[in-house]
């Protein structure tokens, strides 16, 4: 379970050069403080005793400049039954603090969206929790345990293996009316013993692509050890959604990372001998030993001046994590985590269901998903886009938590697997393939992806595969491409389509915050990348 908002943003303050109340004619600007807490944001003005309270879920925040912003909230007069807007302008000391403030706001909203869904799923299904025994698996700060107690649980056992258990005890103790029905147990679900069986399991076991961090296995173990045969799991079902995408910007960005290895004088070292290997490495696994022997000593001077052989014990994974990734250098192919424009999807998505109430632990060690899509438009397919959702199957209300593109952004974002060589498809052409996930000891998965374009048009039934492209990716430490979805121009033969509305999930479009309008890459640039790939 992720840290609660109260713990994550507690004591996060920003000094303000000036704060001015827009709703008061007599108010003058004066210095102040912006402070985040579990309820949202408070803006304190030195000249005013009462802070300006901001509910970040409903308020609107606009940048007026590099260091100045305005915050608008809706309010009402209970006596006169009048609704109105009020706001404040705030000015930061510099651009860095302004950017950090807005970053915290975005992270708060992402976390609030997830926890708000959990809270609604629990409170709307009080009948499932009232008078029942609940186990919170991987309790983290204990926020879900408090939700369960609010819904009337007879007793909640909050099981947490990490040091977060101490924070959970403090948070729960601070809510004495609920604390008497919650017991925090520090330990792994595989090892701890509980005095009674549970009627409800609640947890946030999801990672990137649903399965990263392999917390689902602990969730299933807790089910087998603690849950009664008729018990419920919140959530009870997860779905991995997949669709092919086209994104020239992303493809060129990844290809350009190989330009680092075209330097002939990097601290006196010629890196060009590894250019071909490194280029392929951004799309598929490279030889660790080759990279380790050829560049480790030379980059050592750029890694805090330490002796990499001694500090990292010749562990290439530590070397890559601590030395190369901070420089933006990725030597093996990793999936991309970001929020993207859903119009980049070129076919309706499909999904793979994981039923947490039935799946066996060993079935999570290897997940094999056959792929089949029908292209909606003609495009270059650059890879496979993935996201997930989970179902809280309550007796009263069924509620979904989704990470789909176009829906409110969560801290999971979406994930994209980029092929080493794009494939070309026409509208109506069939795309087949396979997404194969194999668990490894680093609490994550190796991803094997293959996509193929089949023959299309008259006589396609007798035809075979025209193009095939594949990649091998490590889910453990993806490339976090933290940018807002870009506004892409549609191709001439592409029409807007509601591609990600699947079954019972309705996803509404989301207004993008200050999108950067980008032009499509030139055909010459795309041709240069294709030529480069064919020559390495």
């Amino acid at each position: 379970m992720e840290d609660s908002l109260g713990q994550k943003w507690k004591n996060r303050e920003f000094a303000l050069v000036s704060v001015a109340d827009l709703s008061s004619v007599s108010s003058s600007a004066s210095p102040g403080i912006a402070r985040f807490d579990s309820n949202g944001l408070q803006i304190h003005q030195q000249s005013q005793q009462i802070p300006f309270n901001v509910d970040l879920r409903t308020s609107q925040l606009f940048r007026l400049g590099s260091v100045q912003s305005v915050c608008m909230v809706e309010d009402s007069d209970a006596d006169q039954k009048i609704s109105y807007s009020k706001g404040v302008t705030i000015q930061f000391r510099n651009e860095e603090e302004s950017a950090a403030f807005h970053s915290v706001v975005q992270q708060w909203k992402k976390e609030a969206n997830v926890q708000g869904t959990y809270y609604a799923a629990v409170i709307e299904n009080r009948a499932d929790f009232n008078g029942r025994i609940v186990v919170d698996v991987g309790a983290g700060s204990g926020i879900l345990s408090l939700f369960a107690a609010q819904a009337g649980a007879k007793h909640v056992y909050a099981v947490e293996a990490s040091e977060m258990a101490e924070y959970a005890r403090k948070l729960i103790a601070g809510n004495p009316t609920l604390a008497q029905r919650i017991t925090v147990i520090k330990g792994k679900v595989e090892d701890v013993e509980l005095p009674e069986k549970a009627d409800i399991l609640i947890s946030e076991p999801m990672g990137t692509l649903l399965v990263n961090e392999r917390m689902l296995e602990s969730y299933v173990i807790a089910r087998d050890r603690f849950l009664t045969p008729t018990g419920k799991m919140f959530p009870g079902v997860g779905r991995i959604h997949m669709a092919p995408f086209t994104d020239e910007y992303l493809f060129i960005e990844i290809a350009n990372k190989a330009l680092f290895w075209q330097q002939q004088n990097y601290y006196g070292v010629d890196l060009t001998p590894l250019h071909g290997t490194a280029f392929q490495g951004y799309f598929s696994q490279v030889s660790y030993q080759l990279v380790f022997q050829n560049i480790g000593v030379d980059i050592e001077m750029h890694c805090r001046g330490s002796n990499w052989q001694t500090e990292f014990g010749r562990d290439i994974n530590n070397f890559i994590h601590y030395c190369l990734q901070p420089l933006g250098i990725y030597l093996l192919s990793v999936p991309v985590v970001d929020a993207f424009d859903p119009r980049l999807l070129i076919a309706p998505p499909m999904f793979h269901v994981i039923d947490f109430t039935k799946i066996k632990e060993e079935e999570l060690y290897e997940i094999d998903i056959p792929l089949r899509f029908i292209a909606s438009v003609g495009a270059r397919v650059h890879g496979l886009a993935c996201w997930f959702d989970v179902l809280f199957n309550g007796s009263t209300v069924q509620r979904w938590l989704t990470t789909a593109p176009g829906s409110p952004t969560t801290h999971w974002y979406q994930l994209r697997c980029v092929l080493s060589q794009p494939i070309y498809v026409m509208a109506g052409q069939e795309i087949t393939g396979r997404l194969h996930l194999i668990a490894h000891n680093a609490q994550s998965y190796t991803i094997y992806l293959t996509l193929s374009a089949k023959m299309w048009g008259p006589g396609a039934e007798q035809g075979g595969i025209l193009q095939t492209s594949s990649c091998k990716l490590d889910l453990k430490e993806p490339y976090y491409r933290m940018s807002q979805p870009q506004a892409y121009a549609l191709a001439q033969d592409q029409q807007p389509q509601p591609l990600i509305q699947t079954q019972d999930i309705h996803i509404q479009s989301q207004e993008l915050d200050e999108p950067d309008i980008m032009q499509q890459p030139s055909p010459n640039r795309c041709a240069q990348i294709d030529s480069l790939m064919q020559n390495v």
Side-chain angles (χ1 to χ4, degrees):
M1 172 65 194
E2 298 289 332
D3 297 350
S4 71
L5 294 179
Q7 290 294 333
K8 182 169 290 187
W9 308 124
K10 186 177 180 180
N11 298 327
R12 190 67 189 269
E13 296 182 352
F14 292 87
L16 302 174
V17 174
S18 69
V19 178
D21 188 350
L22 298 178
S23 59
S24 176
V25 178
S26 59
S27 175
S28 60
S30 62
I33 294 175
R35 178 180 296 119
F36 291 90
D37 60 23
S38 58
N39 297 316
L41 171 65
Q42 287 188 339
I43 299 177
H44 298 261
Q45 190 177 11
Q46 287 185 1
S47 60
Q48 300 290 332
Q49 294 183 347
I50 301 176
F52 187 83
N53 294 308
V54 181
D55 185 344
L56 292 173
R57 291 166 293 189
T58 58
S59 63
Q60 291 183 301
L61 190 64
F62 304 96
R63 289 189 180 184
L64 302 180
S66 59
V67 296
Q68 191 175 29
S69 300
V70 61
C71 184
M72 304 297 298
V73 300
E74 295 295 324
D75 207 342
S76 61
D77 189 319
D79 296 331
Q80 301 182 23
K81 299 181 180 180
I82 298 175
S83 298
Y84 56 90
S85 297
K86 62 179 183 179
V88 293
T89 58
I90 54 178
Q91 183 172 337
F92 299 90
R93 293 181 295 189
N94 52 55
E95 293 184 26
E96 290 75 16
E97 291 189 5
S98 175
F101 171 84
H102 284 273
S103 177
V104 171
V105 169
Q106 292 303 316
Q107 290 298 325
W108 199 102
K109 288 182 177 181
K110 292 164 190 171
E111 294 289 346
N113 176 52
V114 174
Q115 293 193 359
T117 302
Y118 267 87
Y119 180 78
V122 172
I123 299 302
E124 291 171 348
N125 291 286
R126 289 177 179 270
D128 293 323
F129 288 83
N130 190 35
R132 306 296 174 87
I133 302 300
V134 178
V135 173
D136 184 355
V137 181
S141 64
I143 191 70
L144 298 187
S145 297
L146 290 165
F147 290 171
Q150 288 181 24
K154 179 180 179 181
H155 202 87
V156 182
Y157 296 95
V159 181
E160 173 56 45
S162 74
E163 296 302 320
M164 279 300 297
E166 296 304 318
Y167 291 98
R169 290 192 176 100
K170 291 181 180 179
L171 181 63
I172 291 168
N175 296 267
T177 58
L178 303 174
Q180 56 187 345
R181 290 184 284 122
I182 302 175
T183 300
V184 178
I185 301 175
K186 184 177 181 181
K188 297 180 179 180
V189 294
E190 295 87 348
D191 303 327
V192 302
E193 297 294 336
L194 300 182
E196 53 191 330
K197 289 288 187 178
D199 303 299
I200 298 281
L201 289 189
I202 190 168
S203 181
E204 189 185 308
M206 302 88 74
T208 306
L209 193 60
L210 182 61
V211 297
N212 190 30
E213 301 177 12
R214 298 180 63 181
M215 179 65 182
L216 286 178
E217 294 167 33
S218 297
Y219 194 35
V220 169
I221 291 172
R223 177 202 68 190
D224 295 340
R225 295 196 65 206
F226 306 135
L227 193 63
T228 61
T230 58
K232 284 183 171 290
M233 300 177 73
F234 276 60
V237 173
R239 303 190 301 190
I240 300 175
H241 296 256
M242 299 146 288
F245 73 91
T246 181
D247 192 341
E248 296 289 351
Y249 304 115
L250 175 62
F251 184 74
I252 291 173
E253 177 184 330
I254 293 177
N256 280 342
K257 288 181 179 293
L259 296 177
F260 173 85
W261 303 99
Q262 289 184 337
Q263 298 180 80
Q264 295 180 333
N265 187 14
Y266 181 77
Y267 291 95
V269 177
D270 184 358
L271 300 179
T272 56
L274 279 181
H275 172 256
T277 304
F279 186 90
Q280 291 298 330
Y282 288 111
F283 297 97
S284 60
Q285 297 280 22
V286 300
S287 169
Y288 282 168
Q289 195 63 31
L290 175 64
V291 174
F292 199 53
Q293 291 177 346
N294 282 273
I295 69 168
V297 176
D298 301 317
I299 293 184
E300 169 232 340
M301 66 184 71
H302 207 73
C303 301
R304 302 189 300 275
S306 60
N307 185 317
W308 62 272
Q309 294 188 29
T310 301
E311 179 172 347
F312 304 114
R314 300 193 67 82
D315 186 331
I316 186 62
N317 292 310
N318 286 341
F319 175 71
I320 290 173
H321 176 78
Y322 290 106
C323 285
L324 301 184
Q325 290 184 3
L327 302 177
I329 304 169
Y330 291 79
L331 295 183
L332 67 164
S333 186
V334 292
V336 176
V337 172
D338 66 351
F340 65 85
D341 190 325
R343 289 175 294 179
L344 295 176
L345 304 179
I346 59 97
M350 59 170 288
F351 61 83
H352 174 77
V353 177
I354 299 179
D355 189 339
F356 306 146
T357 66
K358 298 178 181 179
I359 194 168
K360 298 178 181 179
E361 178 192 354
E362 55 269 24
E363 291 175 345
L364 292 168
Y365 299 163
E366 186 171 347
I367 301 172
D368 198 6
I369 306 174
L371 305 173
R372 181 181 180 274
F373 308 96
I374 301 297
S376 302
V377 298
R380 283 160 49 107
V381 178
H382 292 106
L384 188 72
C386 306
W387 60 93
F388 70 86
D389 53 28
V390 292
L391 172 65
F392 301 91
N393 191 19
S395 300
T396 306
V397 177
Q398 291 186 337
R399 182 172 287 272
W400 289 90
L401 170 62
T402 180
T403 64
S407 64
T409 306
T410 69
H411 60 274
W412 293 292
Y413 295 89
Q414 294 94 43
L415 180 136
R416 289 189 281 176
C417 303
V418 183
L419 295 169
S420 58
Q421 175 67 52
I423 59 177
Y424 297 79
V425 297
M426 301 296 290
Q429 191 169 1
E430 183 178 3
I431 304 170
T432 60
R434 180 189 187 201
L435 181 66
H436 193 197
L437 309 177
I438 299 179
H440 57 61
N441 293 331
Q443 296 303 109
S444 191
Y445 287 79
T446 301
I447 302 174
Y448 297 86
L449 170 65
T450 300
L451 288 179
S452 302
K454 298 186 67 176
M455 290 187 65
W456 66 288
E461 295 79 6
Q462 287 75 41
I465 301 297
L466 288 179
Q467 307 169 67
T468 296
S469 186
S470 61
C471 59
K472 178 182 178 183
L473 312 169
D474 190 346
L475 184 58
K476 176 63 177 176
E477 294 191 55
Y479 166 37
Y480 287 96
R481 187 174 177 251
M482 294 299 108
S483 60
Q484 290 295 323
Q486 306 295 341
Y488 289 84
L490 297 178
Q492 291 183 353
D493 61 344
Q494 185 174 357
Q495 299 297 323
Q497 300 184 38
L499 295 180
I500 60 173
Q501 296 181 9
T502 59
Q503 287 198 348
D504 50 349
I505 297 183
H506 179 67
I507 301 170
Q508 297 179 346
S509 62
Q510 180 186 19
E511 292 295 330
L512 304 182
D513 293 335
E514 302 175 344
D516 296 326
I517 306 300
M518 301 178 66
Q519 297 181 350
Q520 290 286 354
S522 67
N524 290 339
R525 185 55 176 155
C526 297
Q528 290 174 6
I529 296 298
D530 288 342
S531 175
L532 179 61
M533 294 189 63
Q534 294 170 2
N535 292 332
V536 294

